[in-house]
Amino acid sequence: MRRAAVKALRTSYQCTFRGLRASRRGSPLPLLQSSKAASSGSPTAHYNPRLGTATARYLSSTGARDSSGTHHSSARPEPLRSSMYVRGAFVTLLSGLVAYGAWYNSGDSNNESPIASTTSVTTTATGAVPTRSVLVIGADELHTGTFVGDGPISKTTSDNERVVEMLSPEQATRKLRQYEQSVYVNRGQGVVRYDVSQLPSNDPIEDDHAEKIVEVPNKAQSSDPSDWMFWGVYDGHSGWTTSAKLRQALISFVARELNETYKSSPDLIPSAAAVESAIKTGFTRLDDEIVHQSVQRVLKSNNRLVAAEHLAPALSGSCALLSFYDSKAKLLRVACTGDSRAVLGRRSESGKWTATALSTDQTGSNPDEAARLRREHPGEEHVVRHGRVLGGLEPTRAFGDASYKWSRELSEKLREKFFGRSVSPLLKTPPYVTAEPVVTTTKIEPEKGDFVVMATDGLWEMLTNEEVVGLVGKWIESQAGSSSKSSGYFSFLQKGSKTALPVESSESEKNSGNKTPIRQRQWGATGTDPMERFVVQDKNVATHLVRNALGGKNQEQVSALLTLPSPFSRRYRDDLTVQVIFFGYDGPKTGEIVVNKEATAAALAAAAADGNRTGPVKPKL
């Protein structure tokens, strides 16, 4: 991305504006647009007390039942929906893994609500005159300033600059918190809480996410069960349909493979290699269903409506970052396909936190990935061109993106008969892109208060690993004097720097091969004192990270970036999805999963309270 600098102050429209220049790089257009009235199609499960079993069903955005009965993989799936809608249940259950168990699906839902307009009032000799902040959107610059008067603001100038009223700080905060979620995990299994936050840039958002917990019985009947915990973030591109498919199915595919692996091993303890293989198999089998099995169904049906439903997830694409925590072994496996990233925060003896990347960005700019592609496609000079696969796709591993996986003949046949994308003239020996993840294994130390941040690349374009870990550490410190429930969870961690980010610098992180933040250069934030940049004012730590990624204490910049409508916003920021998982043993051990209302958007908290269970339900045997 071309570097862009902050422009000097200038006067225009009888106002003083601060300029901010955008990158010229545009984002790819989605193949299909979703309806804003669409409802979610993610499968959830509900316990039937009469049958003593859990039955899967699909929920609409209003909670109405679309279909019921036991869900089978061969059944016709519910149409995919974009993620920005209330998906009904916040915490739901499913049984059946490792002989029996309870599956918790904490809500990955969202709800769109309008932002009210507010103005300040300036008193003059002639009476009260409203003074409003405005944002002027140019071809490659932003300008902010004030507008005095009560007339309409939203308009397009003769220079094709668009003038809109800028969000006030209060409105910006409401928008930041619109899709935040927080959950207390009172299961005594090494995880105490996780927070999630999303901020759209594309319309609809192309990111997605999912969180699930599986209760696993131990072989010895006298032993307490353990938990499998999953967290996933999915960064879609060229549309939202692939990431929606991953939200709907990826954890299920991986859990099924893990289930078979654990059941077939002595004492339910498989080897590390077997677990890694099971995770990879779950990824590649789902991608095969998306990219290849969908084609078979389409050709068999010879129907354009069927083609639209099944080919959309294949033609768009998505990165995937999935974490699997085995509470019995205290092992966290992180599977990465693409350029989303997971980072571990761990307290050192000095009292500061250390940042350790648990994944590596898989792009054409990564020397290892570029070398792999050249080995797999010998003699193809442009297999990696300008840091992109065949000069087009930046991630070297992804779900979907079938135009890099199908043969030229198949792509042209589908395009002629139904629809599709143009095939690169450089395509010779597909597939060039794989969904097979790179898996890392980390021993978690819950007693030390480890935490993990998982996020799509939109966050890592703005903040370094160390800044993210330091910001979470600073947020934890802020809980010391808090009267909130969370202060008890983090009480044993209340020490550290009161003036700077409590994080140690690491040379290995600087040479990790991961991308460095490009937005800091674009916004002119490089070299700014961290304590002048960052702020702590959110109850949800994921929202706290998003706020500081956008500008932190620079409220004018935060408001400007949140005011930008799609597609203009895509020039300055990507979709953002952030998960933060806190490990530990503090807190009550009731076995329940409880919505943290003070750090959850009101609409999502209300959906969770609408007759949905928050505790474990075990099926009758």
Side-chain angles (χ1 to χ4, degrees):
M1 178 174 289
R2 183 175 60 85
R3 175 182 296 191
V6 175
K7 299 293 289 183
L9 292 174
R10 75 174 187 180
T11 302
S12 180
Y13 304 105
Q14 299 181 345
C15 307
T16 301
F17 297 104
R18 184 171 293 106
L20 194 65
R21 180 174 293 173
S23 163
R24 293 266 186 198
R25 188 183 75 175
S27 57
L29 294 175
L31 176 69
L32 299 172
Q33 297 288 343
S34 73
S35 167
K36 294 301 287 185
S39 62
S40 168
S42 76
T44 59
H46 291 258
Y47 184 70
N48 187 329
R50 293 185 179 180
L51 300 178
T53 59
T55 57
R57 71 183 184 185
Y58 290 86
L59 299 179
S60 72
S61 61
T62 59
R65 182 169 179 169
D66 294 324
S67 62
S68 62
T70 303
H71 177 65
H72 301 286
S73 60
S74 60
R76 178 183 174 88
E78 195 72 7
L80 296 177
R81 309 296 184 193
S82 181
S83 72
M84 292 278 95
Y85 311 98
V86 172
R87 295 176 186 154
F90 197 89
V91 180
T92 53
L93 310 152
L94 181 66
S95 68
L97 288 183
V98 192
Y100 73 89
W103 180 307
Y104 305 91
N105 173 17
S106 71
D108 48 358
S109 56
N110 297 286
N111 180 41
E112 186 166 341
S113 59
I115 303 288
S117 176
T118 62
T119 61
S120 62
V121 176
T122 300
T123 302
T124 67
T126 57
V129 179
T131 299
R132 293 173 285 177
S133 297
V134 296
L135 184 68
V136 183
I137 307 168
D140 61 355
E141 291 179 312
L142 298 180
H143 308 286
T144 62
T146 57
F147 180 92
V148 179
D150 54 5
I153 290 179
S154 182
K155 63 179 181 179
T156 301
T157 71
S158 58
D159 296 329
N160 286 325
E161 292 183 317
R162 183 173 176 181
V163 184
V164 297
E165 184 167 1
M166 195 158 73
L167 296 177
S168 68
E170 294 77 17
Q171 293 167 340
T173 292
R174 286 200 294 273
K175 187 169 183 178
L176 274 174
R177 297 175 179 174
Q178 194 171 6
Y179 304 122
E180 66 180 8
Q181 306 168 23
S182 179
V183 172
Y184 291 120
V185 185
N186 300 328
R187 309 227 354 114
Q189 298 286 1
V191 174
V192 294
R193 168 175 169 172
Y194 60 82
D195 289 10
V196 184
S197 189
Q198 282 193 293
L199 180 67
S201 183
N202 294 292
D203 184 15
I205 189 172
E206 295 179 348
D207 282 5
D208 225 314
H209 66 96
E211 303 82 27
K212 291 182 182 177
I213 298 175
V214 182
E215 184 180 85
V216 180
N218 288 322
K219 195 169 185 179
Q221 293 297 319
S222 59
S223 301
D224 292 332
S226 58
D227 281 351
W228 289 354
M229 305 186 187
F230 298 89
W231 299 273
V233 294
Y234 314 122
D235 183 1
H237 47 263
S238 301
W240 56 268
T241 52
T242 313
S243 61
K245 180 70 174 180
L246 299 187
R247 180 247 302 161
Q248 186 185 76
L250 181 57
I251 292 178
S252 298
F253 268 69
V254 171
R256 184 160 54 243
E257 297 299 328
L258 288 170
N259 182 49
E260 294 302 318
T261 300
Y262 274 71
K263 285 199 302 181
S264 61
S265 62
D267 299 320
L268 300 179
I269 305 177
S271 67
V275 173
E276 181 175 327
S277 176
I279 294 172
K280 289 182 177 180
T281 300
F283 272 58
T284 54
R285 284 187 173 173
L286 177 56
D287 192 55
D288 180 71
E289 179 178 290
I290 292 171
V291 174
H292 299 296
Q293 294 181 37
S294 61
V295 173
Q296 296 174 16
R297 289 190 289 267
V298 168
L299 294 177
K300 184 178 180 180
S301 70
N302 196 29
N303 184 290
R304 290 183 67 87
L305 291 178
V306 173
E309 177 182 348
H310 290 288
L311 294 185
L315 290 168
S316 60
S318 181
C319 302
L321 181 69
L322 182 69
S323 288
F324 160 53
Y325 181 63
D326 182 342
S327 67
K328 183 178 181 181
K330 298 183 183 179
L331 291 177
L332 181 74
R333 271 94 174 185
V334 175
C336 180
T337 291
D339 58 2
S340 296
R341 192 185 307 169
V343 175
L344 170 70
R346 175 168 288 171
R347 203 78 180 239
S348 67
E349 293 299 324
S350 69
K352 293 184 177 182
W353 297 90
T354 59
T356 304
L358 303 183
S359 63
T360 301
D361 303 347
Q362 298 156 2
T363 68
S365 298
N366 181 321
D368 292 337
E369 285 294 289
R372 176 183 64 82
L373 281 169
R374 292 190 176 100
R375 286 194 306 269
E376 294 174 355
H377 304 274
E380 296 188 43
E381 179 184 359
H382 298 298
V383 64
V384 178
R385 188 180 185 186
H386 306 307
R388 295 172 177 268
V389 180
L390 302 183
L393 184 66
E394 185 171 19
T396 53
R397 301 178 190 240
F399 284 84
D401 288 315
S403 58
Y404 293 89
K405 299 174 182 178
W406 290 335
S407 68
R408 181 181 300 275
E409 293 73 23
L410 179 58
S411 290
E412 291 176 350
K413 178 180 179 180
L414 291 170
R415 188 181 182 196
E416 179 181 347
K417 198 168 186 178
F418 304 105
F419 53 84
R421 297 190 183 279
S422 299
V423 180
S424 169
L426 300 174
L427 187 138
K428 297 178 181 178
T429 58
Y432 292 90
V433 176
T434 178
E436 181 176 286
V438 174
V439 181
T440 62
T441 302
T442 304
K443 185 76 171 182
I444 294 297
E445 298 178 358
E447 63 279 0
K448 291 188 177 180
D450 287 356
F451 63 82
V452 169
V453 179
M454 299 172 56
T456 54
D457 70 331
L459 181 74
W460 309 110
E461 289 179 348
M462 301 176 178
L463 297 171
T464 67
N465 295 355
E466 292 171 0
E467 286 172 338
V468 165
V469 168
L471 282 165
V472 175
K474 188 56 106 176
W475 180 89
I476 290 173
E477 289 177 1
S478 74
Q479 303 302 300
S482 170
S483 60
S484 67
K485 181 179 177 181
S486 62
S487 60
Y489 286 87
F490 305 112
S491 58
F492 75 107
L493 295 173
Q494 305 303 337
K495 62 177 181 177
S497 168
K498 298 298 180 183
T499 58
L501 292 182
V503 63
E504 295 182 351
S505 178
S506 171
E507 289 298 322
S508 62
E509 284 303 299
K510 295 176 182 177
N511 302 312
S512 65
N514 285 333
K515 294 184 293 186
T516 57
I518 57 174
R519 303 296 184 182
Q520 292 185 14
R521 296 195 303 269
Q522 182 183 356
W523 300 339
T526 303
T528 305
D529 183 348
M531 297 317 297
E532 294 179 0
R533 285 176 58 195
F534 301 132
V535 66
V536 180
Q537 67 182 75
D538 297 289
K539 297 291 186 181
N540 184 300
V541 68
T543 303
H544 163 71
L545 289 176
V546 174
R547 180 190 296 277
N548 283 285
L550 296 178
K553 284 186 177 179
N554 187 343
Q555 183 59 61
E556 182 184 52
Q557 179 174 303
V558 173
S559 293
L561 291 171
L562 289 171
T563 299
L564 274 172
S566 181
F568 301 102
S569 59
R570 192 61 186 84
R571 302 174 187 173
Y572 296 90
R573 61 177 179 85
D574 200 353
D575 294 330
L576 285 163
T577 298
V578 181
Q579 294 173 329
V580 183
I581 303 104
F582 292 103
F583 296 91
Y585 293 113
D586 281 13
K589 297 175 178 59
T590 63
E592 294 182 326
I593 301 173
V594 180
V595 175
N596 176 12
K597 293 183 179 179
E598 69 177 6
T600 298
L604 303 182
D610 260 351
N612 297 304
R613 298 177 182 268
T614 58
V617 177
K618 298 184 178 67
K620 299 177 182 178
L621 299 179

